[in-house]
Amino acid sequence: MSTFIENVHIKDGEYTKIIYVMIREQRYTECIKVLLNLLDSYPNSRPCLSLLAHCYFYTQDFMAAAQCYEKLIQLCPQENLYKLYYAQSLHQACMYPEAWTICSSIINQSNLEFKVKKLQAAIKYGQEDMIAAKNLVDQCPADDVDTEINLGCLLYKEEKYEQALKKFSNALQIAGFKPHLSYNVALCYFKLKEYAASLKHIATIIEHGIREHPELSVGMATEGIEVRSVGNTLTLHETALTEAFNLKAAIEYQLQNYDAAKEALTDMPPRSEEELDAVTLHNQALINMDTKPSEGFEKLQFLLQQNPFPPETFANLLLLYCKYQYYDLAADILAENVHLTYKYLTPYLYDFLDALITQQTSPEEAYRKFDDLANKHTEALRKATKQVQEARLNHDDNAVKKAVNDYEEALDRYVPVLMAQAKIYWDLENYTQVEKIFKKSVEFCNDNDVWKLNVAHTLFMQENKFKDSTRFYEPIVKKKYDSILDVSAIVLANLCVSYIMTSQNAEAEELMKKIEKEEEAVSFEDQDKKLFHLCIVNLVIGTLYCSKGNFEFGISRVMKSLEPYNKKLGTDTWFYAKRCFLSLLEQLAKQLVVLKDSTLQECIQFLEHCEVYGKDIMTVIDQPFDVQDMLNISPQGKRTVVYEARYLKALFLKLQMS
Ligand SMILES: *[C@@H]1O[C@H](CO)[C@@H](O)[C@H](O)[C@H]1NC(C)=O
Ligand SMILES: *[C@@H]1O[C@H](CO)[C@@H](O)[C@H](O)[C@H]1NC(C)=O
């Protein structure tokens, strides 16, 4: 929560007109230069020092502001107001004990009493001493709207979101629209999983920001317009736009609208990277992980060194290391940060990570650990189910809502454990055992998308259950039929193969036509966009024929699917294509198949095309930095399509000559 309130005021002074204008226009950086110049000649000028402090404060350089106030206090030890501002600056710089000491030295100032109290409460809140903070807030005037807001913040911290929401909504009614207050309301709705209500308040903040401050360039970067940083100005802070867009990104991410999440981040008023706040940095890392993993890992590692960092950073970094299979790095981070585990990881999450890491050395022990965890979760799920039923019987809507939320949270904890458990057998290619594990969980997971998808894959891989895999893939595709390119290519490909294997060729063809039409529509709008869906479907079907020994048909289909090369050749598509060529070469070398001369010639020609278009295409995805040394990956030049295509061509030529 960003706005525990501790009033900030501008110190009046005798500024000259020019400085006055600069400050009014919030040209703080310029103003700081002028003031530093003046201070060279008049090092003890109180007006200059206090204005400088003010400018530093509003550029959020709180340490520099604190130093100015410290000097001012030396110059006039009686001035309590300076002490208050000094303490406020220290508080903003998260130097809580120091700020507290200064507060304690402010005495006998009845006019400042409540301001000091508010600040003291904010300090205790920052130190997460909620009891002391509550005690201090209770001593503030009850008719002050800030008191209401602060009580809301305290309730929020205690995870009493309904009650916090009441306080904030009440304050909103009294005080009228205030961006940060609306943001707090939106945040409570977010926590209560009422996303529509949350988005409504976010929209109000954004509309207000755009209307009042067109100079903040909202949405321009998304439109592709080159924009300059708007800087960390007071205006930006007061609009709560950064917070609102971050929350919007979080909601879209939760709803699995990943493009919308990315867009929310680029819509935000632009700042340069070193100006970004911790939350924005964290969200950028997370949301762009699929395209820029090394940058993402760098940002999260950087954040972990900051104090404070967004509380989710620690768990997310660990989970992402595991997701990208850098288990050693995850283990290191855990070992180096024992002090963080208690605070930032739930016992469940800790056990889960522990089992994931264990899996690398001992799959059996890991399986047992996952099993223990899964049992705990299923117990919780049974209990939650019972609570939902009871609440329904009693017609208690609020209790139903809460029980359903509890159930969903328990399910969110359970599914990853189940998947990790299943993956142990998946990696052993023991798909019947994977299916058994999924069958055991059907009572809870029936409606879960991740579960359904993985059941479909498992049935597919068994190669004799294509009817069943069709039954699971179909609803996934149907659900997004109108935006079919949002379905992952591999799901579409597997469904097509399932159709073909069960003699439903007409269905397969219809699906492929649909994909083709959608891709045409997209490339009509954006000619240069690389589109891989239909290509991958064709590749998978080609692979299928190759695997059945019909290379003549299979490899032709593979080659054709990559045309035109400038649009279709990519890291993933090359991966599928080269597998077919390798298997073909193996069969040819063993003289298990023969190929028409003309087909052989086509293969060589195809590889030559790949050499031309594959110069800048990597064959492995971007690795996070500092992992490269550990993994002994081949040097950069060899990891390109051009290198591999040449290599394959050489093998074909060798075969032709022999
Ligand atoms: C502060 O006020 C109290 C009573 O209100 C008085 O006894 C005390 O001397 C005052 N202290 C100072 C430093 O003025
Ligand atoms: C799969 O795993 C189960 C349980 O460990 C085992 O009994 C079975 O033999 C395995 N099947 C294969 C094909 O390895």
Side-chain angles (χ1 to χ4, degrees), residues 10-16 19-20 23 31 34-36 38-39 42-55 68-69 71-72 75-76 82:
I10 301 174
K11 170 93 175 93
D12 295 329
E14 325 157 359
Y15 9 105
T16 62
I19 293 176
Y20 175 74
I23 291 197
C31 194
V34 173
L35 287 165
L36 286 174
L38 275 170
L39 279 164
Y42 311 99
N44 290 332
S45 154
R46 279 173 54 187
C48 279
L49 274 169
S50 93
L51 284 170
L52 185 62
H54 172 83
C55 290
C68 294
Y69 286 124
K71 180 128 195 242
L72 280 164
L75 292 172
C76 31
Y82 289 147

Side-chain angles (χ1 to χ4, degrees), residues 410-430:
L411 193 62
D412 285 346
R413 285 194 293 265
Y414 174 54
V415 170
V417 174
L418 185 71
M419 292 308 145
Q421 210 177 1
K423 192 171 179 298
I424 293 179
Y425 282 102
W426 175 277
D427 289 345
L428 296 169
E429 301 184 11
N430 187 339

